[in-house]
Amino acid sequence: MAPTDLPEDTADRLALYRAASRAPSTRRAYRSDWTHFQAWCTEVGQPALPTSVDAVCQYLAAHAGTLRATTLDRRLAALAAYHRAAGHAFDPGNHEIRAVLSGIRRVHGARPQGKEALTPDDMRAMVAGLPRSLAGARDRAMLLLGFAGGFRRSELAALEISMLDFRAGGLVVHLPGGKTDQDGSASLIKGIACASDDGPCPVAAVKDWVMRAHLSEGPLFRPIDRFGRIQEAFLRPRAVARIVCKAAGWAAEARGLSGRRARAFVASLGAHSLRAGFASSAAMAGAPEWAIQRQTGHQRRQTLWQYIRPADALATSRMARTGL
């Protein structure tokens, strides 16, 4: 929105700036959280706005074990945001609320139940099984690029041709601000090196897709209809997860899995498995933590450690066994 398009009224301007202070994904999540809380309040006969400490504690207890502790934390942040917007006081750090949340973590655990990380062997098996069709070329490029760059699925789905900078030895991807750059003041640069062995090369795969799809501008990854026609639109983020799970069947076969075990393996994977796989594999290969964080764009080291710590634990165990 240009400066001349801003509302004249000061109150409208304040509302506009407050709304723009959060990323669109955060606003959507808060809206969903608030709707959920309102529905629960209606069901139990409690007022939602303003709410009470007792009501919030009951809400947390009612959904403990069903919702993760991190989700409940975000629900509290959403309640605080909606109360502030309406001019009501609400303290998500209230000692009674925090005591209940702490108890939930102790009873139900707080370990994130995210998707499993893909291994390089899994990735090789996944892309090896893709068809030689146009859709197969797109999926191969997306999977290899997503893994090599530690991309979020939203980043993959939003990539444009103009963000790609092919150079000798690899590819540089310019992202105009990631999830952690909410004010658009910084950009994230991801370097994708060409494969140094006979394995699948993410750079070559992207080049092959761009050439076969005759792309010169606009979205990089696009929907393809059942007749093989490329659509003039961005691929939806949830489609990235479907592509990962569909290709995971080949990795399950390479692992010798079948039946229920194969289905469980496929169900454990998703779009986030690409990002987690990069972080875990890079840590296992000895890459320094700061380099992994720069590639993934994680703002908080604690989030990155969720992927690196399991890899470090395995590596430490192997080093200890060399002395046996």
Side-chain angles (χ1 to χ4, degrees):
M1 178 179 288
T4 54
D5 296 329
L6 291 174
E8 291 287 336
D9 185 77
T10 302
D12 290 342
R13 291 169 67 94
L14 282 173
L16 174 66
Y17 293 140
R18 283 170 178 162
S21 69
R22 296 186 179 90
S25 58
T26 303
R27 296 199 297 271
R28 287 193 297 271
Y30 279 12
R31 192 180 306 118
S32 174
D33 292 341
W34 178 246
T35 300
H36 187 272
F37 180 71
Q38 280 185 310
W40 178 84
C41 285
T42 299
E43 182 181 337
V44 299
Q46 293 272 13
L49 190 69
T51 188
S52 65
V53 171
D54 285 342
V56 172
C57 290
Q58 292 173 32
Y59 173 77
L60 295 175
H63 297 92
T66 303
L67 298 178
R68 288 180 290 175
T70 51
T71 301
L72 294 176
D73 260 330
R74 195 193 67 212
R75 293 276 164 92
L76 291 176
L79 296 187
Y82 272 82
H83 276 70
R84 282 195 301 269
H88 295 293
F90 177 81
D91 179 16
N94 175 278
H95 70 280
E96 292 184 40
I97 294 175
R98 284 296 154 187
V100 171
L101 199 57
S102 177
I104 290 172
R105 284 194 172 93
R106 284 183 176 275
V107 173
H108 297 283
R111 186 177 68 87
Q113 301 297 316
K115 295 297 185 180
E116 293 293 327
L118 283 164
T119 68
D121 286 342
D122 289 334
M123 181 55 56
R124 281 189 284 269
M126 287 168 67
V127 298
L130 291 173
R132 298 297 176 184
S133 62
L134 194 59
R138 179 201 62 190
D139 296 351
R140 179 184 178 89
M142 179 187 299
L143 292 172
L144 291 174
L145 183 64
F147 185 88
F151 283 90
R152 297 181 176 90
R153 68 177 185 174
S154 59
E155 293 171 341
L156 281 174
L159 283 178
E160 299 183 37
I161 299 296
S162 60
M163 299 177 186
L164 308 182
D165 181 10
F166 290 99
R167 302 184 182 185
L171 165 67
V172 175
V173 181
H174 300 265
L175 297 178
K179 176 182 176 182
T180 56
D181 176 37
Q182 296 191 3
D183 63 358
S185 61
S187 61
L188 181 62
I189 298 175
K190 293 179 181 281
I192 312 296
C194 294
S196 58
D197 52 23
D198 294 332
C201 176
V203 180
V206 173
K207 284 183 177 179
D208 178 63
W209 158 245
V210 170
M211 180 186 66
R212 292 182 60 179
H214 305 289
L215 303 179
S216 59
E217 61 181 8
L220 174 60
F221 297 120
R222 311 178 183 208
I224 300 174
D225 67 19
R226 60 193 182 95
F227 301 106
R229 295 177 300 206
I230 301 175
Q231 307 299 300
E232 293 290 333
F234 287 94
L235 199 68
R236 293 182 180 274
R238 63 173 175 265
V240 179
R242 289 199 297 267
I243 290 170
V244 170
C245 291
K246 185 176 181 180
W250 299 105
E253 184 177 330
R255 285 189 175 199
L257 303 178
S258 60
R260 182 180 300 175
R261 294 178 63 197
R263 291 192 294 274
F265 171 73
V266 172
S268 72
L269 302 177
H272 200 69
S273 299
L274 300 172
R275 183 170 170 79
F278 165 80
S280 299
S281 300
M284 289 288 288
E289 185 178 304
W290 64 264
I292 301 173
Q293 189 173 358
R294 184 176 65 180
Q295 181 79 334
T296 61
H298 278 107
Q299 188 177 38
R300 299 176 67 243
R301 294 173 64 192
Q302 290 85 348
T303 305
L304 183 62
W305 287 344
Q306 294 173 13
Y307 312 128
I308 293 180
R309 279 179 173 170
D312 280 346
L314 291 173
T316 301
S317 175
R318 290 192 183 97
M319 286 188 288
R321 288 172 59 188
T322 59
L324 294 179

